[in-house]
Amino acid sequence: MVNQHYFPVPSFEETDFKSFISYWRTYYNYSRNKEDEYYNVPIGKEELTSDDLLKLFEWKNGTILSGPKRKSFNAKVGDLVSEINLLKTNGITSVDDVKSITPNLTTAIWLIFLTHIVDKENFPIYDMHVFRAHNFLVNKTIKEIPLSEKKKLIHYEEYLSYFNSLKPQIENYKHWDDAMWGFGKYLSRFKIAQNEEIRKL
């Protein structure tokens, strides 16, 4: 029977690791100038300023922080720049090391991002898109990030294990972060197919 309508399904062709990164990072889009000013330049500094931290969090947020958000940022992150720089100097081994100096930073994604700021090479960026990408690569299912902050942190530990298993092959950590974001963002269009197996055609 010939279909009367168009009912598309995603079809993925397996490729090698480097090709995966080079392909999916093209789906990441952000203004080059803003990317340099708000992310590449500040995160590359050995010692951060409060303004650097603000720019990084505004980059992650996608917009400037104003009003209550700016006040909350200052209290939970911005005012702790000395403590954060000390962690950068001494090194960290887990998210808990960062959590110990920011007890009021209860949002898992922001806590993980601050951990990334402290050590970008060992703690990759994590958000709903990265969760979606990681879950698909491991389980071949479409699944959304849990609402629970505790569960987000648990899943991040699982993602860290996955990341560390691939780390010897990663030549550029930013390209890896961009590829995972791009792939996960692409998968978001199939959110209605949550927990359903996506067959390779």
Side-chain angles (χ1 to χ4, degrees):
M1 180 179 178
V2 178
N3 286 333
Q4 298 297 314
H5 304 283
Y6 177 58
F7 298 113
V9 295
S11 176
F12 298 123
E13 178 182 343
E14 188 171 348
T15 187
D16 61 90
F17 183 73
K18 288 184 179 180
S19 296
F20 170 84
I21 292 177
S22 63
Y23 179 84
W24 287 108
R25 64 181 289 260
T26 64
Y27 279 71
Y28 172 82
N29 50 28
Y30 201 89
S31 166
R32 180 60 186 270
N33 291 336
K34 286 188 175 181
E35 181 90 346
D36 286 338
E37 179 183 358
Y38 283 83
Y39 180 83
N40 292 329
V41 172
I43 205 166
K45 294 182 178 180
E46 291 185 7
E47 185 171 325
L48 300 166
T49 65
S50 294
D51 187 57
D52 291 328
L53 287 171
L54 178 62
K55 284 183 176 178
L56 285 162
F57 272 81
E58 287 182 337
W59 173 85
K60 186 70 176 72
N61 192 55
T63 59
I64 62 171
L65 302 181
S66 58
K69 282 189 176 182
R70 177 70 175 270
K71 185 177 180 180
S72 177
F73 164 81
N74 288 335
K76 296 177 181 180
V77 179
D79 293 341
L80 300 172
V81 64
S82 296
E83 292 87 342
I84 292 168
N85 280 323
L86 187 60
L87 285 182
K88 280 177 66 67
T89 299
N90 294 336
I92 58 174
T93 59
S94 71
V95 175
D96 287 339
D97 293 334
V98 177
K99 188 176 182 180
S100 68
I101 68 163
T102 56
N104 295 322
L105 191 59
T106 55
T107 303
I109 298 302
W110 294 123
L111 176 61
I112 291 168
F113 183 60
L114 182 55
T115 306
H116 171 75
I117 291 172
V118 172
D119 186 350
K120 67 181 185 298
E121 294 187 359
N122 291 307
F123 295 91
I125 290 175
Y126 185 75
D127 58 20
M128 61 181 176
H129 299 315
V130 176
F131 172 89
R132 200 180 293 116
H134 171 232
N135 176 75
F136 187 87
L137 290 173
V138 173
N139 301 312
K140 304 297 187 296
T141 60
I142 304 292
K143 189 176 181 180
E144 296 304 303
I145 195 168
L147 296 177
S148 164
E149 302 300 326
K150 184 177 180 180
K151 287 184 178 179
K152 287 186 179 79
L153 290 172
I154 291 172
H155 282 98
Y156 184 64
E157 290 300 317
E158 295 174 359
Y159 177 54
L160 274 181
S161 295
Y162 181 76
F163 169 78
N164 286 327
S165 72
L166 296 171
K167 197 173 180 182
Q169 303 179 67
I170 300 176
E171 298 176 352
N172 184 304
Y173 296 111
K174 183 62 167 64
H175 291 177
W176 166 259
D177 286 334
D178 293 350
M180 289 297 283
W181 188 94
F183 182 46
K185 176 69 173 177
Y186 172 83
L187 291 175
S188 68
R189 67 185 66 186
F190 306 112
K191 286 193 294 187
I192 58 171
Q194 287 186 42
N195 302 318
E196 291 183 11
E197 187 85 15
I198 305 296
R199 294 179 300 173
K200 291 181 180 178
L201 302 179

